[in-house]
Amino acid sequence: MTKPIPATWAALVVVAVVASSLAAQQPGRGAGQGRQGGQAAPGGRQGGVGGAPPAINWPSPDLPDGPIVAQSAVPAHRDLRIMVTKGLSHPWAMAFLPDGGILVTERAGRLRIIRNGVLDPTPIAGVPAVDGGFLNGLLDVALHPQYAKNRWVYFTYHKPLGAPAAAPATPPAAGARAGGGGRGGGGGFELVLGRGTFDGKALTDVREVFNTHQQGSASRIVFARDGTIYMSSGNASEVPDAPPQDPNDYRGKVLRIRDDGSVPPDNPFVGRAGYKPEIFSLGHRTQLGMALNPETGELWASEQGPNGGDEINIIRAGKNYGWPVVSYGRSYPGPRLGLSRPDMEEPIVIWIPSIAVSGLSFYTGDVFAGWKRSAFVGGMRQGEVPRTGQIQRIEFNEKWEEIRREPMLRELQQRIRDVRPGPDGYLYALTEEDNAALLRIEPAAAK
């Protein structure tokens, strides 16, 4: 059952459409950037029913070596300088080490390290076998909150079926998860949360902390303040009885587990028949960004819609976020999906048209004072048009209501996979390209 778009949403649609018409000169998603659903040809799109319109193939231009000059709308730091570290291939995520190094995952299954702006040419050893391609591969990476003591690095990846299993983590307590729950789709991979001990050169004691035994697509992980782990498992299916609405399926969900893979007893569906106890929220599509709000501690997630309807949600225990029953986007062939239902959660931010929203973070540093109370997201293309990749800064008031959006770096014509503030107060971003780079965004006057 649909209902008319509220006036506030209608105004947003008009603004977004106008913005799209002005932005038709930046990067689209080629192979590996299509939204997941059915299989897509290289350079094409995935998802939807009844087929998708032909893709527009227009590769992103090569980045200059840098420094690159850019600007922000905030007067206090209008002029920006971007330092460029090249040599990456389809990176997915980054994590900042206490010694100043930056770990970067690459989709093909490589874990890289950047020190002082220089990429080590030798990948870090110890990463398990990875099934890479489209939204599969070595995905997110995060340090354990007690990393200084235990040196644990967590990561999500797609394990090829038949690959050697990593050592199991600590067995779950009695009554907790005793296995996955059946492979979905009968394909050749499964989504896994892994952990390894980083000795500065390699991962050792690598093990599977949690194996979904299902083909969840893109995944992000975030440590909550209580030490539990939020893990997303995407699914873009629009078919009847799609996995995101099935409470006995991990796909299309945000999961919450302990750092050993066991189930927290206060999860919303623990003990409820027909529900996977690891599920924290359901009804999600493809979540390519997750971060804790630094003020409230709430989990926020950026989620790709189909043709339009990208969104940011505040993730709350036991809630249903609607996919594929409701969405502010359309199926790729054009039909509109339901807009809203009272028993399903509304997003806090939406994009119409889509920007192919990716990584999400909040600015928490002191270098850019005018970016306080701002969330940053990556975008890989706007309105299904190549060469429209960007970063967007979304500014909020004291009630965390949106008051401004600022597109940034559209002139670079690069897809942006991830964006995060570093411990030095600068902003870092990963481009989603075959010849990709880490970008460090700093004030033009920085030394």
Side-chain angles (χ1 to χ4, degrees):
M1 192 79 178
T2 62
K3 65 181 182 182
I5 300 177
T8 53
W9 290 122
L12 179 57
V13 170
V14 171
V15 171
V17 169
V18 171
S20 176
S21 68
L22 296 175
Q25 59 256 60
Q26 285 151 296
R29 286 182 290 184
Q33 282 69 62
R35 298 180 184 90
Q36 206 228 337
Q39 195 74 349
R45 291 172 293 185
Q46 293 177 302
V49 293
I56 301 173
N57 292 307
W58 190 14
S60 300
D62 291 335
L63 274 172
D65 293 332
I68 300 171
V69 175
Q71 288 191 315
S72 166
V74 177
H77 36 76
R78 174 74 35 86
D79 296 322
L80 306 173
R81 180 173 63 197
I82 304 171
M83 310 303 291
V84 181
T85 301
K86 295 184 177 181
L88 297 165
S89 176
H90 298 291
W92 190 276
M94 64 188 116
F96 299 94
L97 295 168
D99 65 2
I102 305 173
L103 295 178
V104 178
T105 58
E106 291 181 319
R107 189 181 67 198
R110 294 177 294 268
L111 182 61
R112 313 296 298 275
I113 190 165
I114 296 172
R115 293 187 175 96
N116 299 316
V118 178
L119 175 66
D120 190 324
T122 304
I124 292 169
V127 176
V130 169
D131 180 279
F134 295 104
L135 292 178
N136 284 16
L138 180 60
L139 304 178
D140 213 356
V141 60
L143 307 184
H144 190 276
Q146 300 300 318
Y147 174 83
K149 295 180 180 179
N150 57 36
R151 311 285 290 184
W152 285 349
V153 175
Y154 286 73
F155 49 93
T156 48
Y157 68 103
H158 289 94
K159 172 187 171 183
L161 294 183
T170 305
R177 177 184 60 85
R183 296 185 182 99
F189 60 89
E190 49 197 8
L191 180 62
V192 175
L193 173 66
R195 188 187 78 200
T197 303
F198 184 51
D199 65 7
K201 295 182 179 180
L203 293 179
T204 62
D205 190 27
V206 176
R207 56 186 60 205
E208 294 178 11
V209 173
F210 178 76
N211 189 330
T212 66
H213 296 295
Q214 290 184 317
Q215 295 180 341
S217 63
S219 177
R220 290 286 184 184
I221 49 176
V222 169
F223 277 93
R225 289 177 176 176
D226 63 2
T228 59
I229 300 171
Y230 294 113
M231 171 183 170
S232 66
S233 173
N235 184 269
S237 175
E238 297 175 19
V239 301
D241 303 317
Q245 291 297 321
D246 183 351
N248 199 34
D249 195 305
Y250 291 120
R251 294 169 294 174
K253 311 296 191 300
V254 171
L255 313 176
R256 179 173 174 257
I257 55 179
R258 290 170 167 158
D259 64 1
D260 64 358
S262 61
V263 179
D266 58 344
N267 268 7
F269 301 116
V270 168
R272 186 167 174 177
Y275 283 75
K276 297 290 188 190
E278 296 88 354
I279 293 175
F280 188 75
S281 63
L282 65 160
H284 298 290
R285 196 174 184 273
T286 307
Q287 294 173 303
L288 294 184
M290 292 202 309
L292 294 184
N293 183 309
E295 182 178 303
T296 67
E298 294 174 314
L299 180 68
W300 288 33
S302 56
E303 180 172 327
Q304 288 191 353
N307 195 352
D310 288 0
E311 56 192 45
I312 294 178
N313 292 295
I314 301 178
I315 308 302
R316 296 190 170 97
K319 298 298 184 179
N320 188 329
Y321 290 81
W323 180 259
V325 180
V326 297
S327 172
Y328 284 97
R330 295 176 179 267
S331 294
Y332 286 122
R336 185 177 294 283
L337 302 170
L339 286 177
S340 64
R341 262 179 35 175
D343 59 333
M344 295 179 174
E345 301 302 299
E346 286 285 321
I348 188 171
V349 178
I350 67 167
W351 284 267
I352 304 174
S354 165
I355 64 167
V357 67
S358 56
L360 165 70
S361 62
F362 293 87
Y363 184 74
T364 54
D366 296 321
V367 173
F368 297 104
W371 289 353
K372 294 287 189 180
R373 303 191 69 81
S374 290
F376 285 84
V377 297
M380 291 184 282
R381 71 177 177 202
Q382 184 166 346
E384 302 296 323
V385 176
R387 296 194 171 202
T388 54
Q390 59 194 272
I391 294 173
Q392 282 200 7
R393 182 180 69 88
I394 307 160
E395 188 175 335
F396 296 88
N397 64 18
E398 69 282 355
K399 296 180 180 180
W400 291 101
E401 298 166 332
E402 179 188 351
I403 57 175
R404 182 176 290 113
R405 293 189 200 185
E406 180 186 5
M408 300 173 65
L409 307 190
R410 293 194 300 187
E411 65 274 17
L412 300 184
Q413 303 184 43
Q414 303 289 304
R415 297 184 290 262
I416 302 296
R417 172 63 76 187
D418 199 14
V419 55
R420 306 191 188 194
D424 54 10
Y426 300 149
L427 190 68
Y428 291 78
L430 290 169
T431 67
E432 169 39 77
E433 307 292 346
D434 189 32
N435 297 308
L438 174 72
L439 308 179
R440 188 180 78 210
I441 303 169
E442 56 188 40
K447 297 181 179 179

